[in-house]
């Protein structure tokens, strides 16, 4: 199958190369000449090459006969300064200059001999300077128009005996006639009235277009625009004079009808070299080479219509340089550019378009034949040979395939890829936006953070003002995210999934996450990035630990109950000292049992029972739980400005009690003060526990509220007290503020919303004022 496809592509490529540009015709450069080429109307193999004589070499040849069959050049009239030449009668009519005289000479067809020696045509002023000479020969080859400067002459040749040898025996005589001065365009024309000449000439400040009959008598004259550059051509029974505007862009067309001598004038905004006329189905048409949106376009339209707004034409694809000229041969329009050529039918079909390796000069002429186009100027000529392309439709079909089928397949493929991409994107967005999905972060293959869900945005402190698309490290530079940043950096280049447990902290809260990485592949299998998802397992782990502590507390409760029962039955000998010790033992056992029950309650449920509590009474009760005999080094200070509040008495007492215990531990058995104070405002009740102990450094303060964090080195602390303080405060909807300074002490302030109704608040305030 692969071999078949390869052979098919090879065949198509070969046909494509042979078909070239996908047009029916192709033109290639057949030859170039450093002079003006003139063809014989009767023998297409014989051509004249007229060379301009350089000023520094008066002896160089200026005329040669080129035999296309033999591929030979024969230089002739080497001593003559040939200005123009053409095939005339049975020989070559040469116009040359000798000093101030403009002379005519007739040479044989091969240019080797002279048939008629020099006949003076005119005389110019002075012997120096260039004289422009152009000659045109009639179709039968017996008459010629010679334009010397602006003087137009008619030359007629008469053969005395045409039955002899054309080279040696025929005697031809010349007659010349000055037709008009100031002529700037002229040519032979023919109509049903016969042959004649049409020429344009200046007469003072105006110009005229005149027509003569076969005897060179002027039969009509019409005023035309004055122009420095103009040309004239016959289309059917009309002669069209193209006149360029001297001080404006564009040209004027003067159409002379040879049948009824009527004149039609049209103006265009393009140069006269890019306008041509032709006949189609008996109607006079006009072709214009214009440029729209930077692309060349050939527009064909009836000459009788208004030319102010041109209709759409045929766009020439490709880049062929700046436009040079436009000519028509029948209904085929030929556009010449500085670096290419294009042929278009008047119906809009492109017949050929090719680049040329030889630059085309400006103000050149174009002559056409069956299989050749000739572009010529006074100093340069180019022959373009026509080549038929029988396989042009292959390239055209291939071009159409490239323009339609392949783009359609490409669009379908893009649609399919877009569908798959959108489906994958929706799936990814669904994963990111799924409620309860934990934190979700998507990082592309370059390490840029592209998408996060709300929980991840909150954790990374990404607000709506923070733009996405930066490197992920810039979003994870704050403390507490080091492990997440390290995990992402370690696995983001992998194409496999990874899972790890990390710890992240924010403010005074530390949580543990189970982080997983999932590679995201694109539609074509390339890596798009990595999806990171994390589940908060802090509560699960904490619950497991609390369950273990609850089991231990249950066992302790049983042991404490036994101690309490035995202590109650204990009786001393003298009664006084033993009773006091028994009372203290029972009080401390009761305190321990309350603590164990509190721990059980925290482990079992977050539901608490709100009751009306006076903050000062609660602080007093906590103070009395600490026996001065057991803490003789501690001085307790009470500053109470309490109020009523709605709180869980047992849990809140437990939280304050833990704060007092931590304060006593901070004294390190050294004399110090523990102050318990309370105050309130309109919304909250504040309970403060401060000490004059060792204080804490910033690192210890940052870790203080983490579960199970303890600074005890002897195993007496497990971090449960601090955890309960945080847990109870959170249940009440409050906060804890800790301030500390090493060597100065620590203050822990509980902020608890009072939870009172407005009327109860008024009563509470009134009661405080009365008290």
């Amino acid at each position: 199958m692969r071999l078949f496809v390869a052979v098919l592509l090879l065949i198509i490529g070969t046909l494509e190369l042979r078909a070239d540009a996908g047009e029916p015709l192709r033109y290639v450069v057949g030859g170039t000449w450093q002079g003006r080429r003139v063809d014989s109307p009767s023998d297409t193999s014989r051509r004249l090459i007229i060379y301009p004589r350089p000023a520094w070499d008066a002896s160089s040849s200026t005329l040669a006969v080129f035999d296309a069959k033999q591929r030979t050049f024969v230089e002739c009239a080497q001593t003559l300064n040939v200005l123009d030449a053409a095939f005339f009668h049975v020989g070559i009519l040469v116009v040359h200059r000798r000093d101030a005289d403009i002379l005519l000479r007739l040479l044989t067809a091969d240019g080797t001999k002279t048939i008629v020696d020099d006949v003076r045509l005119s005389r110019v002023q002075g012997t120096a300077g260039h004289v422009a000479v152009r000659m045109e020969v009639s179709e039968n080859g017996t008459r010629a128009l010679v334009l010397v400067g602006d003087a137009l002459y008619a030359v007629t040749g008469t053969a005395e005996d045409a039955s002899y040898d054309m080279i040696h025996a025929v005697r031809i005589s010349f007659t010349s006639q000055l037709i008009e001065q100031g002529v700037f365009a002229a040519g032979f024309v023919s109509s049903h009235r016969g042959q004649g000449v049409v020429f344009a000439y200046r007469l003072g400040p105006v110009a005229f277009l005149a027509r003569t009959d076969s005897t060179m008598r002027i039969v009509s004259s019409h005023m035309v625009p004055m122009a420095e550059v103009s040309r004239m051509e016959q289309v059917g029974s009309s002669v069209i004079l193209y006149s360029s505007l001297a001080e404006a862009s564009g040209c004027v067309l003067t159409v002379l009808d040879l049948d009824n001598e009527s004149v039609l004038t049209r103006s265009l905004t393009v140069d006269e070299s890019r306008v041509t006329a032709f006949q189609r189905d008996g109607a006079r048409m006009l072709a214009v080479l214009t440029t729209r949106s930077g692309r060349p376009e050939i527009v064909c339209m009836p000459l009788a219509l208004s030319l102010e707004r041109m209709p759409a034409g045929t766009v020439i694809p490709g880049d062929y340089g700046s436009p040079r000229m436009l000519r028509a041969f029948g209904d085929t329009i030929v556009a010449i550019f500085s670096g290419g050529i294009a042929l278009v039918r008047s119906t809009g079909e492109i017949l050929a378009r090719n680049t040329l390796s030889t630059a085309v000069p400006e103000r050149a002429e174009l002559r056409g034949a069956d299989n050749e186009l000739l572009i010529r100027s006074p100093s340069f000529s180019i022959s373009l040979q026509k080549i038929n392309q029988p396989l042009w439709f292959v390239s055209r079909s291939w071009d159409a395939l490239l323009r339609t089928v392949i783009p359609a397949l490409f669009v379908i493929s893009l649609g399919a890829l877009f569908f798959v991409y959108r489906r994958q994107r929706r799936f990814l967005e669904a994963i990111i936006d799924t409620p309860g999905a934990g934190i979700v972060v998507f990082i592309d293959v370059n390490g840029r953070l592209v998408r996060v869900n709300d929980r991840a945005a909150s954790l990374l402190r990404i607000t709506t003002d923070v733009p996405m698309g930066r490197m992920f490290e810039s979003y994870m530079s704050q403390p507490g995210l080091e492990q997440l940043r390290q995990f992402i950096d370690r696995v983001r280049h992998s194409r496999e999934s990874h899972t790890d447990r990390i710890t992240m902290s924010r403010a005074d809260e530390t949580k543990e996450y189970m982080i997983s990485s999932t590679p995201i592949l694109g539609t074509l299998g390339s890596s798009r990035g990595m999806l990171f998802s994390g589940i908060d397992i802090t509560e699960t782990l904490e619950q497991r630990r609390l369950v273990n502590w609850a089991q231990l507390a249950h066992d302790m409760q049983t042991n404490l109950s036994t101690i309490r029962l035995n202590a109650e039955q204990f009786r001393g000998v003298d009664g006084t000292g033993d009773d006091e010790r028994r009372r203290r033992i029972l009080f401390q056992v009761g305190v321990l049992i309350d603590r164990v029950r509190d721990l059980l309650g925290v482990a079992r449920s977050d539901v608490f029972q709100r009751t009306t509590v006076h903050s000062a009474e609660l602080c007093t009760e906590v103070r009395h739980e600490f026996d001065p005999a057991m803490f003789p080094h501690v001085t307790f200070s009470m500053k109470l400005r309490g109020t009523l509040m709605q709180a869980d008495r047992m849990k809140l007492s437990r939280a304050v009690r833990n704060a007092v215990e931590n304060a006593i531990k901070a004294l390190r058995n050294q004399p110090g003060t523990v102050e318990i104070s309370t105050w309130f405002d309109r919304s909250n009740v504040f309970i403060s526990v401060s000490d004059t102990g060792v204080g804490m450094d910033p690192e210890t303060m940052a870790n203080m509220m983490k579960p199970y964090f303890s600074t005890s080195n002897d195993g007496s602390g497990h971090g449960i007290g601090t955890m309960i303080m945080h847990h109870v405060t959170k249940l009440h909807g409050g906060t804890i503020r800790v301030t500390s300074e090493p060597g100065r002490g620590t203050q822990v302030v509980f902020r608890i919303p009072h939870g009172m109704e407005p009327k109860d608040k008024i009563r509470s305030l009134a009661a405080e004022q009365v008290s």
Side-chain angles (χ1 to χ4, degrees):
M1 182 64 183
R2 294 182 179 177
L3 180 61
F4 173 76
V5 173
V7 172
L8 180 62
L9 292 177
L10 181 62
I11 294 174
I12 293 176
T14 303
L15 294 177
E16 170 71 11
L17 290 175
R18 291 182 62 85
D20 194 50
E23 316 297 345
L25 303 177
R26 181 163 60 101
Y27 280 84
V28 297
V29 177
T32 59
W33 296 269
Q34 300 300 320
R36 182 168 173 264
R37 196 187 95 176
V38 180
D39 296 347
S40 171
S42 58
D43 187 359
T44 57
S45 64
R46 301 185 70 82
R47 298 158 184 173
L48 299 178
I49 308 299
I50 306 168
Y51 303 101
R53 173 171 285 180
W56 63 86
D57 188 2
S59 62
S60 63
S61 300
T62 57
L63 180 64
V65 178
F66 174 62
D67 191 333
K69 292 181 180 180
Q70 302 296 328
R71 306 297 296 178
T72 59
F73 277 93
V74 177
E75 294 183 354
C76 52
Q78 296 183 5
T79 60
L80 302 182
N81 182 12
V82 178
L83 303 178
D84 203 353
F87 290 98
F88 184 81
H89 261 290
V90 292
I92 301 172
L93 181 61
V94 177
V95 181
H96 68 99
R97 179 176 179 176
R98 183 186 300 141
D99 297 330
D101 294 327
I102 304 298
L103 306 172
L104 295 176
R105 179 180 292 189
L106 184 63
L107 304 178
T108 57
D110 58 1
T112 59
K113 296 182 180 181
T114 301
I115 299 177
V116 179
D117 206 351
D118 296 338
V119 175
R120 192 174 72 176
L121 183 64
S122 67
R123 186 175 180 83
V124 297
Q125 297 293 330
T127 59
H130 173 73
V131 178
V133 175
R134 292 300 302 273
M135 180 168 55
E136 180 181 344
V137 179
S138 63
E139 292 181 358
N140 58 13
T142 61
R143 305 177 70 185
L145 292 176
V146 182
L147 185 61
V148 181
D150 62 355
L152 180 62
Y153 296 88
V155 178
T156 304
T158 304
E160 297 181 0
D161 190 352
S163 63
Y164 295 159
D165 188 334
M166 291 297 180
I167 298 179
H168 302 286
V170 175
R171 296 183 60 188
I172 300 176
S173 61
F174 287 139
T175 58
S176 63
Q177 176 185 355
L178 177 62
I179 300 177
E180 188 61 72
Q181 296 281 355
V183 177
F184 55 88
F188 288 105
V189 296
S190 61
S191 65
H192 69 279
R193 296 184 178 183
Q195 293 186 345
V197 175
V198 173
F199 59 93
Y201 65 99
R202 302 178 184 87
L203 185 60
V206 295
F208 295 92
L209 181 65
R211 175 175 178 258
T212 71
D213 56 13
S214 58
T215 63
M216 300 300 164
R217 183 177 61 88
I218 296 178
V219 296
S220 65
S221 181
H222 306 275
M223 186 179 294
V224 294
M226 185 76 71
E228 293 294 332
V229 179
S230 61
R231 63 183 176 88
M232 190 168 56
E233 61 184 5
Q234 181 176 0
V235 178
S237 60
S238 301
V239 173
I240 302 178
L241 177 66
Y242 304 90
S243 304
S244 62
L245 300 177
E247 298 180 356
S249 61
C251 65
V252 175
L253 278 65
T254 303
V255 183
L256 173 62
D257 193 320
L258 298 177
D259 293 336
N260 53 26
E261 299 297 335
S262 62
V263 174
L264 176 67
T265 303
R266 291 285 186 267
S267 61
L268 282 171
T269 57
V270 296
D271 188 75
E272 54 86 17
S273 62
R274 292 185 282 163
V275 183
T276 189
F278 62 97
Q279 197 165 8
R280 184 177 69 186
D281 299 331
R284 293 176 300 190
M285 304 290 293
L286 194 67
V288 179
L289 177 58
T290 183
T291 302
R292 295 178 181 175
S293 303
R295 303 174 66 184
E297 183 177 347
I298 296 178
V299 181
C300 296
M301 52 190 166
L303 184 59
L305 297 180
S306 174
L307 306 181
E308 294 181 359
R309 295 187 60 183
M310 289 185 290
T314 302
V315 177
I316 308 299
D319 185 10
Y320 302 104
S322 58
R324 286 286 190 260
M325 72 180 97
L326 188 72
R327 299 294 183 266
F329 300 96
D331 66 341
T332 301
I333 313 300
V334 181
I336 303 296
F337 302 88
S338 60
I341 181 175
L343 273 73
V344 179
R345 289 195 188 276
S346 61
T347 55
E349 179 188 0
I350 299 178
L351 299 178
R353 52 186 179 93
N354 304 105
T355 57
L356 298 178
S357 57
T358 304
V360 177
E362 294 186 6
R363 297 298 172 187
E365 300 177 69
L366 181 64
R367 294 289 185 266
D370 293 338
N371 297 312
E372 182 189 31
L373 291 175
L374 177 63
I375 303 173
R376 67 184 187 184
S377 68
S379 59
F380 193 72
S381 297
I382 306 172
S383 172
L384 301 177
Q385 300 294 324
K386 182 175 71 173
I387 300 176
N388 293 314
Q389 300 191 119
L391 298 177
W392 65 272
F393 61 90
V394 175
S395 181
R396 181 75 61 87
S397 301
W398 178 256
D399 191 37
L401 182 68
L402 293 177
R403 289 197 310 266
T404 57
V405 178
I406 292 182
L409 292 177
F410 179 72
V411 171
I412 293 174
S413 300
L414 283 181
L417 292 176
F418 177 75
F419 175 76
V420 174
Y421 167 77
R422 189 168 183 178
R423 187 176 180 182
Q424 187 183 51
R425 183 175 180 180
R426 286 181 177 177
F427 177 72
L428 183 62
E429 291 177 350
I431 293 177
I432 294 177
D433 298 333
T434 299
I439 62 171
V440 181
V441 176
F442 179 66
I443 297 175
D444 66 10
V445 69
N446 297 317
R448 293 188 293 265
L449 185 66
V450 178
R451 285 289 305 275
V452 294
N453 64 348
D454 294 339
R455 293 191 178 184
S458 176
L459 178 66
L460 302 178
R461 297 180 178 88
I462 299 176
T463 62
T464 55
D465 298 332
V466 178
M468 305 297 289
R470 299 174 181 172
M471 296 301 293
F472 73 93
E473 293 92 346
S474 63
Y475 301 93
M476 304 178 185
S477 58
Q478 58 266 32
L481 301 177
E482 295 84 1
Q483 295 187 19
L484 175 62
R485 184 171 63 250
Q486 293 171 2
F487 176 78
I488 294 176
D489 188 60
R490 186 174 70 252
V491 306
R492 69 184 182 90
H493 294 295
S494 175
R495 296 176 69 93
E496 298 179 356
S497 299
H498 297 270
T499 303
D500 199 358
R501 194 175 81 176
I502 64 174
T503 300
M504 290 185 286
S505 61
R506 179 180 178 183
D508 58 348
E509 187 176 18
T510 300
K511 293 187 177 182
E512 295 192 39
Y513 286 86
M514 187 64 68
I515 299 293
S516 298
S517 64
T518 304
I520 303 298
L521 301 180
T523 307
L524 301 179
S526 60
S527 176
R528 289 186 55 199
M530 190 75 72
L531 182 70
F532 296 90
S533 59
I535 300 176
D536 186 0
I537 60 173
T538 304
E539 295 184 2
T540 302
L541 295 177
E542 185 175 330
Q543 194 66 30
R544 289 180 182 177
R545 292 167 179 167
L546 288 177
V547 168
N548 295 333
W549 282 107
Q551 182 64 41
L552 178 61
H554 182 270
D555 297 339
M556 291 176 59
Q557 185 177 12
T558 302
N559 296 331
L560 289 172
S561 298
T562 302
I563 295 173
R564 183 175 185 176
L565 180 61
N566 291 326
E568 288 176 349
Q569 295 176 356
F570 175 76
R571 293 290 186 271
V573 179
D574 55 0
T576 304
D578 293 337
D579 289 342
E580 179 62 22
R581 285 191 293 271
R582 183 171 64 84
R583 186 189 64 79
R584 291 179 178 178
I585 291 173
L586 291 176
F587 178 79
Q588 293 298 328
V589 169
V591 171
L592 289 175
I593 291 176
D594 289 340
R595 293 181 181 181
V596 169
R597 288 174 179 173
D598 191 17
L599 183 58
L600 287 172
V602 172
R604 291 171 181 170
S605 175
D606 288 341
V607 179
F608 63 102
Q609 184 66 39
R610 286 185 182 270
T611 58
T612 303
V613 180
H614 199 284
S615 60
E617 293 179 359
L618 185 141
C619 293
T620 303
E621 291 176 358
V622 172
R623 158 66 185 86
H624 288 301
E625 290 183 9
F626 297 91
D627 192 346
M630 298 184 64
F631 307 104
H633 62 287
V634 179
T635 301
F636 288 95
S637 174
M638 305 293 291
K639 294 182 179 180
L640 306 178
R641 182 175 172 265
T643 185
L644 296 177
M645 58 188 299
Q646 290 289 325
D648 189 313
R649 188 186 192 93
M650 181 182 65
K651 294 184 183 297
L652 187 57
S653 298
R654 180 74 179 100
V656 178
R657 186 186 305 119
N658 286 332
V660 175
E661 288 180 350
N662 292 337
I664 294 174
K665 292 179 181 179
L667 297 178
R668 303 284 177 88
N669 294 323
Q670 299 296 322
T673 302
V674 174
E675 180 183 284
I676 304 175
S677 58
T678 180
W679 69 93
F680 63 91
D681 59 18
R682 299 182 62 87
S683 303
N684 303 289
V685 177
F686 300 91
I687 299 175
S688 171
V689 178
S690 59
D691 62 74
T692 58
V694 296
M696 293 182 290
D697 55 22
E699 182 180 358
T700 304
M701 285 191 61
N703 296 318
M704 178 182 174
M705 290 301 171
K706 294 182 180 180
Y708 311 108
F709 174 79
S710 176
T711 58
S712 299
N713 298 323
D714 56 359
S716 60
H718 301 282
I720 297 179
T722 306
M723 182 186 68
I724 292 177
M725 289 166 52
H726 184 270
H727 183 72
V728 171
T729 306
K730 185 176 180 181
L731 289 177
H732 283 83
T735 58
I736 298 178
R737 178 172 57 86
V738 180
T739 57
S740 182
E741 185 177 350
R744 300 289 299 273
T746 303
Q747 181 185 33
V748 178
V749 179
F750 298 88
R751 182 191 62 81
I752 307 296
H754 53 64
M756 301 288 289
E757 296 293 333
K759 58 182 181 180
D760 296 331
K761 289 173 60 179
I762 294 174
R763 293 173 184 173
S764 175
L765 291 173
E768 294 297 330
Q769 292 175 359
V770 171
S771 61

